[in-house]
Amino acid sequence: MAQRVGERYPAQGSTLNIYSETPYSAEGKPKTGMCLKDLVEKRNTPSPEHVQYTRQKIGLGVTLQQEIDGVWLYNRSTVPIFLYSPTLTESWFRVCRIEPGDCIRAFDKYRAQTLIYPAQFPGVQIGPIDTFSMRISFGKGWGYSYKRPDITRCPCWLEVLFTPQPR
C-alpha cells in the first residue's frame, strides 16, 4: 500500500529474481534474489489480509534481465502484473498489463536520458517522478482504467530504480 516495507534492495549483476517465497534448486539450495516474504517478516508487523492474499499468488514473481537493448521483465507469477515505465510508451498515463508467462522490454536506459516529464499529470503516480525508475504491481492495476487512482492503493507493488549510465 502506501508504506515502504523493508530497506532498499541493491541489485548487482544482470539478473534479478523477485519472488514471494524463496524457491530452492534441485540440490535443495535457496536461489538468489529478492524475497518479498523476508521483507515483511523483518518488519514485525502483520500485513493486512488483502496484502497477504495478493502476495500468496505471486509465486515465482518476476525476473528483471539487463540486456544490451534495455531491461526485460519476465512475468513468472500466476497473476497478471501491471507496469508503469516512462520508456515503455509515448503516453505518460499508460499502465501496461503483462499476463503470466509473458515478457516485455520494460526499460530503455538510453531513451530515459532524453525524457522530460510534464510538470503535472494525474493518474500515474504520486510523489516525485524519476525517469530512471519503473513501478510494478502484482495482480492489481491502477490509473484511468482501474478503480485505484494510483499505485499506492495496490496491495503489493515495487519501485525499481536504475542508476543512470554515461552515454
Side-chain angles (χ1 to χ4, degrees):
M1 302 298 285
Q3 293 183 351
R4 179 187 297 238
V5 176
E7 298 297 317
R8 285 189 181 184
Y9 184 90
Q12 301 294 325
S14 62
T15 303
L16 174 62
N17 293 303
I18 303 166
Y19 37 76
S20 179
E21 296 192 25
T22 306
Y24 290 86
S25 68
E27 298 83 34
K29 296 180 181 177
K31 294 187 177 183
T32 59
M34 186 175 116
C35 177
L36 300 176
K37 182 179 178 184
D38 289 348
L39 291 175
V40 173
E41 287 178 355
K42 289 177 185 174
R43 188 173 136 197
N44 292 328
T45 304
S47 298
E49 191 173 311
H50 66 285
V51 173
Q52 291 176 29
Y53 178 75
T54 300
R55 204 175 61 239
Q56 288 172 354
K57 291 182 173 187
I58 294 171
L60 293 175
V62 297
T63 296
L64 300 175
Q65 176 73 40
Q66 174 73 49
E67 299 288 342
I68 291 173
D69 64 344
V71 175
W72 286 78
L73 181 144
Y74 300 85
N75 183 359
R76 299 173 35 178
S77 75
T78 60
V79 295
I81 59 171
F82 297 84
L83 170 69
Y84 172 76
S85 172
T87 68
L88 187 60
T89 179
E90 294 301 321
S91 170
W92 295 111
F93 314 112
R94 187 162 174 237
V95 173
C96 294
R97 177 183 172 122
I98 298 106
E99 295 296 328
D102 287 352
C103 71
I104 188 169
R105 185 176 72 164
F107 190 79
D108 179 339
K109 62 185 176 186
Y110 299 111
R111 182 160 187 252
Q113 292 174 342
T114 65
L115 292 175
I116 299 171
Y117 275 103
Q120 283 261 336
F121 54 93
V124 175
Q125 69 185 64
I126 290 177
I129 298 167
D130 185 342
T131 57
F132 280 86
S133 71
M134 64 184 185
R135 290 183 172 193
I136 303 166
S137 173
F138 294 94
K140 303 293 180 185
W142 76 97
Y144 288 123
S145 302
Y146 301 93
K147 68 180 182 181
R148 292 165 192 81
D150 60 76
I151 197 167
T152 63
R153 307 267 176 102
C154 295
C156 188
W157 62 277
L158 304 167
E159 182 173 39
V160 181
L161 305 171
F162 299 102
T163 303
Q165 302 294 319
R167 284 185 168 222

